[in-house]
Amino acid sequence: MIVRVRAFARFRELLGSDMEIEIPAGATVSDVLRKACSWSEEACEAVFDSTGEVRSHVILMRNGTRMDRKEAGSTSAADGDEIVVFPPVSGG
Amino acid sequence: MKRLAGGDPEILITEGDFDLGRVVCKLTTPEMGGVVCFLGTVRDDGIVKMELEVFLEVAQAELAAICREAMENFRLISISVVHRYGILKPGDNIVGICVGAGHRGEAFRGCEYIIDQLKQRVPIWKKEIRGDGSFWVEGEKRIEK
């Protein structure tokens, strides 16, 4: 299946702004992110902590809705999903 | 010509500059007892330039939600919010927020609510380019590139 991954700000510079990730059926949101980060150790370290969990400051959206980053490892991704990853905001 | 009644919040996210005076003029209606504005600018503290990045569709929706909350919680009559993105230099306008209400207290509190919530919830990011390097601002932190 194919999942779209978009990233903003610092994560855009590390991962790329917009990519399509091919993953096997049953893969989780964490699996998608791990594959998106796979070409860059720096990207991987920015998104995941040493235990493999998505870092606490990482904000995730799935199909337009924010999701709890703690659930990334247990939430299955579906074909056509859009996962968005970004850091804490700083507008204004 | 001024409108006779307030209406839906006006939200603009743009690369272009804006004139806060014109925003006030467009917002003001006769039933308002006060209009409060906040203008955020690029502080000249060693920044060479600032890049603002936006996740446009979510930023627009989140700002609309914040404005709806402010309308309900502070009895505001009208709201206009303009936020810029792109490359800015020291002294440039970043964000303008104007709210009109029947009384000044509601207008002050409503304006403060909108800027505070914007800074916490709206997906816009600043990157500061300084003489000694560049930094992403993430919440209250600066992350060196």
Side-chain angles (χ1 to χ4, degrees), chain A residues 6-10 12-13 57 61 66 82 84 86-92, chain B residues 53 55 57 83 119-127 136-139 145:
Chain A
R6 300 171 70 190
F8 288 90
R10 184 164 61 96
R12 171 183 55 73
E13 292 183 339
H57 64 269
M61 294 185 78
R66 285 202 190 201
E82 180 185 270
V84 183
F86 54 82
V89 303
S90 57
Chain B
E53 181 170 332
F55 182 3
E57 56 267 45
H83 203 300
K119 291 179 86 71
Q120 291 174 33
R121 291 165 52 184
V122 178
I124 298 175
W125 301 269
K126 291 172 181 156
K127 186 180 186 181
W136 280 105
V137 183
E138 297 183 359
K145 266 287 296 161

PDB file of all heavy atoms in Angstrom, chain A residues 6-10 12-13 57 61 66 82 84 86-92, chain B residues 53 55 57 83 119-127 136-139 145:
ATOM      1  N   ARG A   6       3.823  13.951   4.630  1.00  0.00           N
ATOM      2  CA  ARG A   6       4.214  15.361   4.458  1.00  0.00           C
ATOM      3  C   ARG A   6       4.897  15.833   5.735  1.00  0.00           C
ATOM      4  O   ARG A   6       4.556  15.380   6.834  1.00  0.00           O
ATOM      5  CB  ARG A   6       2.986  16.237   4.176  1.00  0.00           C
ATOM      6  CG  ARG A   6       2.248  15.834   2.913  1.00  0.00           C
ATOM      7  CD  ARG A   6       0.938  16.568   2.804  1.00  0.00           C
ATOM      8  NE  ARG A   6       1.136  17.983   2.520  1.00  0.00           N
ATOM      9  CZ  ARG A   6       0.154  18.882   2.577  1.00  0.00           C
ATOM     10  NH1 ARG A   6      -1.063  18.528   2.928  1.00  0.00           N
ATOM     11  NH2 ARG A   6       0.390  20.154   2.290  1.00  0.00           N
ATOM     12  N   ALA A   7       5.846  16.735   5.582  1.00  0.00           N
ATOM     13  CA  ALA A   7       6.566  17.240   6.752  1.00  0.00           C
ATOM     14  C   ALA A   7       6.750  18.750   6.613  1.00  0.00           C
ATOM     15  O   ALA A   7       6.822  19.271   5.494  1.00  0.00           O
ATOM     16  CB  ALA A   7       7.914  16.547   6.875  1.00  0.00           C
ATOM     17  N   PHE A   8       6.818  19.407   7.758  1.00  0.00           N
ATOM     18  CA  PHE A   8       6.957  20.871   7.756  1.00  0.00           C
ATOM     19  C   PHE A   8       8.114  21.315   8.651  1.00  0.00           C
ATOM     20  O   PHE A   8       8.520  20.602   9.569  1.00  0.00           O
ATOM     21  CB  PHE A   8       5.650  21.513   8.242  1.00  0.00           C
ATOM     22  CG  PHE A   8       4.542  21.418   7.232  1.00  0.00           C
ATOM     23  CD1 PHE A   8       3.694  20.330   7.224  1.00  0.00           C
ATOM     24  CD2 PHE A   8       4.379  22.391   6.257  1.00  0.00           C
ATOM     25  CE1 PHE A   8       2.690  20.214   6.281  1.00  0.00           C
ATOM     26  CE2 PHE A   8       3.383  22.288   5.306  1.00  0.00           C
ATOM     27  CZ  PHE A   8       2.528  21.197   5.313  1.00  0.00           C
ATOM     28  N   ALA A   9       8.594  22.504   8.339  1.00  0.00           N
ATOM     29  CA  ALA A   9       9.621  23.195   9.130  1.00  0.00           C
ATOM     30  C   ALA A   9      10.880  22.319   9.241  1.00  0.00           C
ATOM     31  O   ALA A   9      11.364  21.821   8.234  1.00  0.00           O
ATOM     32  CB  ALA A   9       9.050  23.621  10.484  1.00  0.00           C
ATOM     33  N   ARG A  10      11.402  22.139  10.459  1.00  0.00           N
ATOM     34  CA  ARG A  10      12.661  21.390  10.603  1.00  0.00           C
ATOM     35  C   ARG A  10      12.528  19.966  10.060  1.00  0.00           C
ATOM     36  O   ARG A  10      13.465  19.428   9.463  1.00  0.00           O
ATOM     37  CB  ARG A  10      13.081  21.359  12.081  1.00  0.00           C
ATOM     38  CG  ARG A  10      14.415  20.687  12.338  1.00  0.00           C
ATOM     39  CD  ARG A  10      14.930  21.025  13.710  1.00  0.00           C
ATOM     40  NE  ARG A  10      14.041  20.587  14.767  1.00  0.00           N
ATOM     41  CZ  ARG A  10      14.165  19.436  15.449  1.00  0.00           C
ATOM     42  NH1 ARG A  10      15.171  18.625  15.171  1.00  0.00           N
ATOM     43  NH2 ARG A  10      13.321  19.118  16.411  1.00  0.00           N
ATOM     44  N   ARG A  12      10.657  19.013   7.618  1.00  0.00           N
ATOM     45  CA  ARG A  12      10.684  19.081   6.142  1.00  0.00           C
ATOM     46  C   ARG A  12      12.124  19.059   5.655  1.00  0.00           C
ATOM     47  O   ARG A  12      12.443  18.379   4.671  1.00  0.00           O
ATOM     48  CB  ARG A  12       9.978  20.362   5.654  1.00  0.00           C
ATOM     49  CG  ARG A  12      10.146  20.621   4.164  1.00  0.00           C
ATOM     50  CD  ARG A  12       9.511  21.924   3.742  1.00  0.00           C
ATOM     51  NE  ARG A  12       9.978  23.073   4.496  1.00  0.00           N
ATOM     52  CZ  ARG A  12      11.172  23.643   4.381  1.00  0.00           C
ATOM     53  NH1 ARG A  12      12.059  23.163   3.516  1.00  0.00           N
ATOM     54  NH2 ARG A  12      11.512  24.674   5.121  1.00  0.00           N
ATOM     55  N   GLU A  13      12.991  19.796   6.359  1.00  0.00           N
ATOM     56  CA  GLU A  13      14.395  19.831   5.941  1.00  0.00           C
ATOM     57  C   GLU A  13      15.069  18.469   6.129  1.00  0.00           C
ATOM     58  O   GLU A  13      15.989  18.120   5.405  1.00  0.00           O
ATOM     59  CB  GLU A  13      15.144  20.905   6.735  1.00  0.00           C
ATOM     60  CG  GLU A  13      14.698  22.323   6.374  1.00  0.00           C
ATOM     61  CD  GLU A  13      15.498  23.391   7.115  1.00  0.00           C
ATOM     62  OE1 GLU A  13      16.092  23.076   8.167  1.00  0.00           O
ATOM     63  OE2 GLU A  13      15.493  24.539   6.645  1.00  0.00           O
ATOM     64  N   HIS A  57       7.828  15.795  21.460  1.00  0.00           N
ATOM     65  CA  HIS A  57       7.538  17.094  20.848  1.00  0.00           C
ATOM     66  C   HIS A  57       7.069  16.961  19.398  1.00  0.00           C
ATOM     67  O   HIS A  57       6.740  17.970  18.761  1.00  0.00           O
ATOM     68  CB  HIS A  57       8.779  18.001  20.916  1.00  0.00           C
ATOM     69  CG  HIS A  57       9.943  17.479  20.136  1.00  0.00           C
ATOM     70  ND1 HIS A  57      10.888  16.661  20.690  1.00  0.00           N
ATOM     71  CD2 HIS A  57      10.291  17.627  18.839  1.00  0.00           C
ATOM     72  CE1 HIS A  57      11.782  16.340  19.766  1.00  0.00           C
ATOM     73  NE2 HIS A  57      11.429  16.906  18.625  1.00  0.00           N
ATOM     74  N   MET A  61      -0.362  14.237  12.380  1.00  0.00           N
ATOM     75  CA  MET A  61      -1.753  14.275  11.913  1.00  0.00           C
ATOM     76  C   MET A  61      -1.943  13.098  10.965  1.00  0.00           C
ATOM     77  O   MET A  61      -1.050  12.768  10.181  1.00  0.00           O
ATOM     78  CB  MET A  61      -2.055  15.576  11.177  1.00  0.00           C
ATOM     79  CG  MET A  61      -2.003  16.800  12.060  1.00  0.00           C
ATOM     80  SD  MET A  61      -2.492  18.300  11.187  1.00  0.00           S
ATOM     81  CE  MET A  61      -4.270  18.114  11.192  1.00  0.00           C
ATOM     82  N   ARG A  66      -5.321  15.465  14.242  1.00  0.00           N
ATOM     83  CA  ARG A  66      -4.164  15.193  15.094  1.00  0.00           C
ATOM     84  C   ARG A  66      -4.314  13.837  15.761  1.00  0.00           C
ATOM     85  O   ARG A  66      -5.415  13.466  16.179  1.00  0.00           O
ATOM     86  CB  ARG A  66      -4.035  16.271  16.171  1.00  0.00           C
ATOM     87  CG  ARG A  66      -3.503  17.565  15.613  1.00  0.00           C
ATOM     88  CD  ARG A  66      -2.883  18.421  16.698  1.00  0.00           C
ATOM     89  NE  ARG A  66      -2.605  19.751  16.179  1.00  0.00           N
ATOM     90  CZ  ARG A  66      -1.741  20.587  16.714  1.00  0.00           C
ATOM     91  NH1 ARG A  66      -1.071  20.248  17.787  1.00  0.00           N
ATOM     92  NH2 ARG A  66      -1.542  21.785  16.199  1.00  0.00           N
ATOM     93  N   GLU A  82      -2.824   9.868   4.646  1.00  0.00           N
ATOM     94  CA  GLU A  82      -1.859  10.979   4.638  1.00  0.00           C
ATOM     95  C   GLU A  82      -1.399  11.204   6.072  1.00  0.00           C
ATOM     96  O   GLU A  82      -2.213  11.494   6.948  1.00  0.00           O
ATOM     97  CB  GLU A  82      -2.482  12.266   4.100  1.00  0.00           C
ATOM     98  CG  GLU A  82      -1.479  13.416   4.086  1.00  0.00           C
ATOM     99  CD  GLU A  82      -2.105  14.739   3.677  1.00  0.00           C
ATOM    100  OE1 GLU A  82      -2.121  15.035   2.479  1.00  0.00           O
ATOM    101  OE2 GLU A  82      -2.587  15.473   4.570  1.00  0.00           O
ATOM    102  N   VAL A  84       1.030  13.504   8.443  1.00  0.00           N
ATOM    103  CA  VAL A  84       1.761  14.773   8.460  1.00  0.00           C
ATOM    104  C   VAL A  84       2.549  14.856   9.755  1.00  0.00           C
ATOM    105  O   VAL A  84       2.028  14.515  10.820  1.00  0.00           O
ATOM    106  CB  VAL A  84       0.811  15.977   8.341  1.00  0.00           C
ATOM    107  CG1 VAL A  84       1.601  17.284   8.281  1.00  0.00           C
ATOM    108  CG2 VAL A  84      -0.077  15.844   7.114  1.00  0.00           C
ATOM    109  N   PHE A  86       5.156  17.350  12.110  1.00  0.00           N
ATOM    110  CA  PHE A  86       5.746  18.677  12.280  1.00  0.00           C
ATOM    111  C   PHE A  86       6.121  18.944  13.742  1.00  0.00           C
ATOM    112  O   PHE A  86       5.608  18.278  14.647  1.00  0.00           O
ATOM    113  CB  PHE A  86       4.843  19.775  11.704  1.00  0.00           C
ATOM    114  CG  PHE A  86       3.421  19.831  12.193  1.00  0.00           C
ATOM    115  CD1 PHE A  86       3.093  20.450  13.383  1.00  0.00           C
ATOM    116  CD2 PHE A  86       2.394  19.300  11.421  1.00  0.00           C
ATOM    117  CE1 PHE A  86       1.777  20.540  13.800  1.00  0.00           C
ATOM    118  CE2 PHE A  86       1.070  19.378  11.836  1.00  0.00           C
ATOM    119  CZ  PHE A  86       0.762  19.995  13.026  1.00  0.00           C
ATOM    120  N   PRO A  87       6.987  19.922  13.967  1.00  0.00           N
ATOM    121  CA  PRO A  87       7.411  20.257  15.332  1.00  0.00           C
ATOM    122  C   PRO A  87       6.430  21.234  15.989  1.00  0.00           C
ATOM    123  O   PRO A  87       5.497  21.709  15.331  1.00  0.00           O
ATOM    124  CB  PRO A  87       8.765  20.937  15.106  1.00  0.00           C
ATOM    125  CG  PRO A  87       8.629  21.579  13.770  1.00  0.00           C
ATOM    126  CD  PRO A  87       7.738  20.681  12.962  1.00  0.00           C
ATOM    127  N   PRO A  88       6.637  21.552  17.276  1.00  0.00           N
ATOM    128  CA  PRO A  88       5.800  22.561  17.924  1.00  0.00           C
ATOM    129  C   PRO A  88       5.776  23.856  17.114  1.00  0.00           C
ATOM    130  O   PRO A  88       6.781  24.242  16.523  1.00  0.00           O
ATOM    131  CB  PRO A  88       6.484  22.758  19.285  1.00  0.00           C
ATOM    132  CG  PRO A  88       7.189  21.478  19.537  1.00  0.00           C
ATOM    133  CD  PRO A  88       7.651  20.996  18.195  1.00  0.00           C
ATOM    134  N   VAL A  89       4.638  24.521  17.122  1.00  0.00           N
ATOM    135  CA  VAL A  89       4.443  25.690  16.257  1.00  0.00           C
ATOM    136  C   VAL A  89       5.035  26.941  16.905  1.00  0.00           C
ATOM    137  O   VAL A  89       5.288  26.990  18.108  1.00  0.00           O
ATOM    138  CB  VAL A  89       2.956  25.875  15.923  1.00  0.00           C
ATOM    139  CG1 VAL A  89       2.411  24.610  15.281  1.00  0.00           C
ATOM    140  CG2 VAL A  89       2.151  26.250  17.169  1.00  0.00           C
ATOM    141  N   SER A  90       5.226  27.979  16.090  1.00  0.00           N
ATOM    142  CA  SER A  90       5.865  29.197  16.614  1.00  0.00           C
ATOM    143  C   SER A  90       5.432  30.445  15.853  1.00  0.00           C
ATOM    144  O   SER A  90       6.209  31.374  15.681  1.00  0.00           O
ATOM    145  CB  SER A  90       7.385  29.048  16.548  1.00  0.00           C
ATOM    146  OG  SER A  90       7.824  28.781  15.223  1.00  0.00           O
ATOM    147  N   GLY A  91       4.197  30.458  15.392  1.00  0.00           N
ATOM    148  CA  GLY A  91       3.727  31.641  14.672  1.00  0.00           C
ATOM    149  C   GLY A  91       3.445  32.801  15.611  1.00  0.00           C
ATOM    150  O   GLY A  91       3.657  32.726  16.811  1.00  0.00           O
ATOM    151  N   GLY A  92       2.980  33.886  15.029  1.00  0.00           N
ATOM    152  CA  GLY A  92       2.599  35.051  15.821  1.00  0.00           C
ATOM    153  C   GLY A  92       3.714  36.024  16.038  1.00  0.00           C
ATOM    154  O   GLY A  92       4.834  35.816  15.624  1.00  0.00           O
TER     155      GLY A  92
ATOM    156  N   GLU B  53       7.065  29.624   7.716  1.00  0.00           N
ATOM    157  CA  GLU B  53       6.498  28.523   6.934  1.00  0.00           C
ATOM    158  C   GLU B  53       5.115  28.204   7.487  1.00  0.00           C
ATOM    159  O   GLU B  53       4.902  28.267   8.702  1.00  0.00           O
ATOM    160  CB  GLU B  53       7.415  27.302   7.058  1.00  0.00           C
ATOM    161  CG  GLU B  53       6.944  26.097   6.263  1.00  0.00           C
ATOM    162  CD  GLU B  53       8.016  24.998   6.217  1.00  0.00           C
ATOM    163  OE1 GLU B  53       9.218  25.321   6.303  1.00  0.00           O
ATOM    164  OE2 GLU B  53       7.633  23.827   6.089  1.00  0.00           O
ATOM    165  N   PHE B  55       1.530  25.577   7.228  1.00  0.00           N
ATOM    166  CA  PHE B  55       0.734  24.437   6.732  1.00  0.00           C
ATOM    167  C   PHE B  55      -0.648  25.037   6.483  1.00  0.00           C
ATOM    168  O   PHE B  55      -1.493  25.100   7.373  1.00  0.00           O
ATOM    169  CB  PHE B  55       0.722  23.351   7.809  1.00  0.00           C
ATOM    170  CG  PHE B  55       0.001  22.088   7.450  1.00  0.00           C
ATOM    171  CD1 PHE B  55      -0.573  21.869   6.203  1.00  0.00           C
ATOM    172  CD2 PHE B  55      -0.099  21.071   8.396  1.00  0.00           C
ATOM    173  CE1 PHE B  55      -1.227  20.698   5.898  1.00  0.00           C
ATOM    174  CE2 PHE B  55      -0.752  19.885   8.103  1.00  0.00           C
ATOM    175  CZ  PHE B  55      -1.327  19.700   6.863  1.00  0.00           C
ATOM    176  N   GLU B  57      -3.651  24.814   4.829  1.00  0.00           N
ATOM    177  CA  GLU B  57      -5.041  24.406   5.010  1.00  0.00           C
ATOM    178  C   GLU B  57      -5.394  24.193   6.481  1.00  0.00           C
ATOM    179  O   GLU B  57      -6.489  24.530   6.932  1.00  0.00           O
ATOM    180  CB  GLU B  57      -5.377  23.167   4.170  1.00  0.00           C
ATOM    181  CG  GLU B  57      -4.510  21.947   4.399  1.00  0.00           C
ATOM    182  CD  GLU B  57      -3.317  21.859   3.445  1.00  0.00           C
ATOM    183  OE1 GLU B  57      -2.635  22.892   3.231  1.00  0.00           O
ATOM    184  OE2 GLU B  57      -3.039  20.745   2.948  1.00  0.00           O
ATOM    185  N   HIS B  83      -2.014  36.954   8.862  1.00  0.00           N
ATOM    186  CA  HIS B  83      -0.709  36.386   9.237  1.00  0.00           C
ATOM    187  C   HIS B  83       0.109  36.207   7.971  1.00  0.00           C
ATOM    188  O   HIS B  83      -0.375  35.672   6.983  1.00  0.00           O
ATOM    189  CB  HIS B  83      -0.870  35.047   9.949  1.00  0.00           C
ATOM    190  CG  HIS B  83       0.307  34.689  10.820  1.00  0.00           C
ATOM    191  ND1 HIS B  83       1.591  34.540  10.311  1.00  0.00           N
ATOM    192  CD2 HIS B  83       0.400  34.482  12.144  1.00  0.00           C
ATOM    193  CE1 HIS B  83       2.408  34.242  11.311  1.00  0.00           C
ATOM    194  NE2 HIS B  83       1.715  34.200  12.434  1.00  0.00           N
ATOM    195  N   LYS B 119      -0.406  31.206  18.892  1.00  0.00           N
ATOM    196  CA  LYS B 119       0.991  30.817  19.126  1.00  0.00           C
ATOM    197  C   LYS B 119       1.120  29.367  19.599  1.00  0.00           C
ATOM    198  O   LYS B 119       2.174  28.772  19.480  1.00  0.00           O
ATOM    199  CB  LYS B 119       1.647  31.758  20.148  1.00  0.00           C
ATOM    200  CG  LYS B 119       1.850  33.159  19.603  1.00  0.00           C
ATOM    201  CD  LYS B 119       2.468  34.096  20.621  1.00  0.00           C
ATOM    202  CE  LYS B 119       3.964  34.019  20.634  1.00  0.00           C
ATOM    203  NZ  LYS B 119       4.618  34.599  19.463  1.00  0.00           N
ATOM    204  N   GLN B 120       0.045  28.816  20.139  1.00  0.00           N
ATOM    205  CA  GLN B 120       0.094  27.431  20.622  1.00  0.00           C
ATOM    206  C   GLN B 120      -0.427  26.424  19.608  1.00  0.00           C
ATOM    207  O   GLN B 120      -0.037  25.256  19.637  1.00  0.00           O
ATOM    208  CB  GLN B 120      -0.756  27.290  21.892  1.00  0.00           C
ATOM    209  CG  GLN B 120      -0.203  27.994  23.098  1.00  0.00           C
ATOM    210  CD  GLN B 120      -1.171  27.933  24.270  1.00  0.00           C
ATOM    211  OE1 GLN B 120      -1.895  26.964  24.449  1.00  0.00           O
ATOM    212  NE2 GLN B 120      -1.192  28.982  25.060  1.00  0.00           N
ATOM    213  N   ARG B 121      -1.338  26.848  18.729  1.00  0.00           N
ATOM    214  CA  ARG B 121      -2.104  25.854  17.949  1.00  0.00           C
ATOM    215  C   ARG B 121      -1.956  25.948  16.439  1.00  0.00           C
ATOM    216  O   ARG B 121      -2.181  24.947  15.741  1.00  0.00           O
ATOM    217  CB  ARG B 121      -3.590  26.012  18.287  1.00  0.00           C
ATOM    218  CG  ARG B 121      -3.927  25.596  19.680  1.00  0.00           C
ATOM    219  CD  ARG B 121      -5.288  26.087  20.143  1.00  0.00           C
ATOM    220  NE  ARG B 121      -6.399  25.782  19.256  1.00  0.00           N
ATOM    221  CZ  ARG B 121      -7.652  26.194  19.459  1.00  0.00           C
ATOM    222  NH1 ARG B 121      -7.934  26.914  20.547  1.00  0.00           N
ATOM    223  NH2 ARG B 121      -8.617  25.893  18.616  1.00  0.00           N
ATOM    224  N   VAL B 122      -1.642  27.109  15.915  1.00  0.00           N
ATOM    225  CA  VAL B 122      -1.702  27.274  14.453  1.00  0.00           C
ATOM    226  C   VAL B 122      -0.372  26.851  13.829  1.00  0.00           C
ATOM    227  O   VAL B 122       0.689  27.354  14.225  1.00  0.00           O
ATOM    228  CB  VAL B 122      -2.042  28.735  14.089  1.00  0.00           C
ATOM    229  CG1 VAL B 122      -2.048  28.915  12.577  1.00  0.00           C
ATOM    230  CG2 VAL B 122      -3.392  29.113  14.672  1.00  0.00           C
ATOM    231  N   PRO B 123      -0.400  25.925  12.867  1.00  0.00           N
ATOM    232  CA  PRO B 123       0.861  25.404  12.315  1.00  0.00           C
ATOM    233  C   PRO B 123       1.583  26.399  11.389  1.00  0.00           C
ATOM    234  O   PRO B 123       1.489  26.347  10.171  1.00  0.00           O
ATOM    235  CB  PRO B 123       0.439  24.130  11.576  1.00  0.00           C
ATOM    236  CG  PRO B 123      -1.000  24.328  11.254  1.00  0.00           C
ATOM    237  CD  PRO B 123      -1.564  25.208  12.333  1.00  0.00           C
ATOM    238  N   ILE B 124       2.282  27.294  12.055  1.00  0.00           N
ATOM    239  CA  ILE B 124       3.166  28.258  11.405  1.00  0.00           C
ATOM    240  C   ILE B 124       4.478  28.208  12.181  1.00  0.00           C
ATOM    241  O   ILE B 124       4.459  28.107  13.413  1.00  0.00           O
ATOM    242  CB  ILE B 124       2.572  29.684  11.447  1.00  0.00           C
ATOM    243  CG1 ILE B 124       1.242  29.736  10.679  1.00  0.00           C
ATOM    244  CG2 ILE B 124       3.560  30.713  10.869  1.00  0.00           C
ATOM    245  CD1 ILE B 124       0.509  31.075  10.773  1.00  0.00           C
ATOM    246  N   TRP B 125       5.590  28.252  11.454  1.00  0.00           N
ATOM    247  CA  TRP B 125       6.899  28.149  12.110  1.00  0.00           C
ATOM    248  C   TRP B 125       7.811  29.272  11.646  1.00  0.00           C
ATOM    249  O   TRP B 125       7.771  29.695  10.487  1.00  0.00           O
ATOM    250  CB  TRP B 125       7.577  26.813  11.774  1.00  0.00           C
ATOM    251  CG  TRP B 125       6.772  25.642  12.195  1.00  0.00           C
ATOM    252  CD1 TRP B 125       6.832  24.983  13.399  1.00  0.00           C
ATOM    253  CD2 TRP B 125       5.755  24.976  11.429  1.00  0.00           C
ATOM    254  NE1 TRP B 125       5.931  23.963  13.418  1.00  0.00           N
ATOM    255  CE2 TRP B 125       5.249  23.932  12.224  1.00  0.00           C
ATOM    256  CE3 TRP B 125       5.211  25.171  10.155  1.00  0.00           C
ATOM    257  CZ2 TRP B 125       4.236  23.083  11.788  1.00  0.00           C
ATOM    258  CZ3 TRP B 125       4.209  24.326   9.716  1.00  0.00           C
ATOM    259  CH2 TRP B 125       3.735  23.292  10.526  1.00  0.00           C
ATOM    260  N   LYS B 126       8.684  29.688  12.597  1.00  0.00           N
ATOM    261  CA  LYS B 126       9.676  30.722  12.297  1.00  0.00           C
ATOM    262  C   LYS B 126      11.056  30.098  12.226  1.00  0.00           C
ATOM    263  O   LYS B 126      11.422  29.289  13.090  1.00  0.00           O
ATOM    264  CB  LYS B 126       9.707  31.771  13.412  1.00  0.00           C
ATOM    265  CG  LYS B 126       8.481  32.635  13.512  1.00  0.00           C
ATOM    266  CD  LYS B 126       8.579  33.477  14.769  1.00  0.00           C
ATOM    267  CE  LYS B 126       7.348  34.340  14.925  1.00  0.00           C
ATOM    268  NZ  LYS B 126       7.124  34.706  16.332  1.00  0.00           N
ATOM    269  N   LYS B 127      11.809  30.526  11.239  1.00  0.00           N
ATOM    270  CA  LYS B 127      13.234  30.190  11.188  1.00  0.00           C
ATOM    271  C   LYS B 127      14.000  31.507  11.193  1.00  0.00           C
ATOM    272  O   LYS B 127      13.783  32.355  10.308  1.00  0.00           O
ATOM    273  CB  LYS B 127      13.544  29.392   9.930  1.00  0.00           C
ATOM    274  CG  LYS B 127      14.964  28.878   9.866  1.00  0.00           C
ATOM    275  CD  LYS B 127      15.170  28.086   8.583  1.00  0.00           C
ATOM    276  CE  LYS B 127      16.525  27.440   8.542  1.00  0.00           C
ATOM    277  NZ  LYS B 127      16.710  26.704   7.280  1.00  0.00           N
ATOM    278  N   TRP B 136      15.567  27.134  13.998  1.00  0.00           N
ATOM    279  CA  TRP B 136      14.115  26.973  13.982  1.00  0.00           C
ATOM    280  C   TRP B 136      13.589  27.300  15.373  1.00  0.00           C
ATOM    281  O   TRP B 136      14.179  26.868  16.374  1.00  0.00           O
ATOM    282  CB  TRP B 136      13.729  25.538  13.635  1.00  0.00           C
ATOM    283  CG  TRP B 136      13.792  25.239  12.176  1.00  0.00           C
ATOM    284  CD1 TRP B 136      14.751  24.518  11.530  1.00  0.00           C
ATOM    285  CD2 TRP B 136      12.860  25.659  11.174  1.00  0.00           C
ATOM    286  NE1 TRP B 136      14.469  24.463  10.188  1.00  0.00           N
ATOM    287  CE2 TRP B 136      13.309  25.146   9.946  1.00  0.00           C
ATOM    288  CE3 TRP B 136      11.682  26.412  11.189  1.00  0.00           C
ATOM    289  CZ2 TRP B 136      12.631  25.370   8.738  1.00  0.00           C
ATOM    290  CZ3 TRP B 136      11.013  26.631  10.001  1.00  0.00           C
ATOM    291  CH2 TRP B 136      11.474  26.118   8.801  1.00  0.00           C
ATOM    292  N   VAL B 137      12.517  28.032  15.441  1.00  0.00           N
ATOM    293  CA  VAL B 137      11.849  28.275  16.716  1.00  0.00           C
ATOM    294  C   VAL B 137      10.737  27.239  16.822  1.00  0.00           C
ATOM    295  O   VAL B 137       9.878  27.160  15.945  1.00  0.00           O
ATOM    296  CB  VAL B 137      11.277  29.700  16.789  1.00  0.00           C
ATOM    297  CG1 VAL B 137      10.650  29.957  18.152  1.00  0.00           C
ATOM    298  CG2 VAL B 137      12.355  30.732  16.489  1.00  0.00           C
ATOM    299  N   GLU B 138      10.802  26.430  17.884  1.00  0.00           N
ATOM    300  CA  GLU B 138       9.795  25.390  18.100  1.00  0.00           C
ATOM    301  C   GLU B 138       9.189  25.607  19.481  1.00  0.00           C
ATOM    302  O   GLU B 138       9.830  25.334  20.490  1.00  0.00           O
ATOM    303  CB  GLU B 138      10.425  23.997  17.978  1.00  0.00           C
ATOM    304  CG  GLU B 138      10.965  23.737  16.575  1.00  0.00           C
ATOM    305  CD  GLU B 138      11.535  22.340  16.383  1.00  0.00           C
ATOM    306  OE1 GLU B 138      11.544  21.549  17.339  1.00  0.00           O
ATOM    307  OE2 GLU B 138      11.979  22.053  15.251  1.00  0.00           O
ATOM    308  N   GLY B 139       7.988  26.131  19.523  1.00  0.00           N
ATOM    309  CA  GLY B 139       7.406  26.525  20.800  1.00  0.00           C
ATOM    310  C   GLY B 139       8.264  27.610  21.406  1.00  0.00           C
ATOM    311  O   GLY B 139       8.521  28.631  20.780  1.00  0.00           O
ATOM    312  N   LYS B 145      20.359  24.881  13.553  1.00  0.00           N
ATOM    313  CA  LYS B 145      20.463  24.072  12.319  1.00  0.00           C
ATOM    314  C   LYS B 145      21.870  23.544  12.165  1.00  0.00           C
ATOM    315  O   LYS B 145      22.824  24.259  12.323  1.00  0.00           O
ATOM    316  CB  LYS B 145      20.132  24.961  11.117  1.00  0.00           C
ATOM    317  CG  LYS B 145      18.705  24.896  10.709  1.00  0.00           C
ATOM    318  CD  LYS B 145      18.353  23.605  10.034  1.00  0.00           C
ATOM    319  CE  LYS B 145      19.110  23.420   8.716  1.00  0.00           C
ATOM    320  NZ  LYS B 145      19.133  22.049   8.279  1.00  0.00           N
TER     321      LYS B 145
END
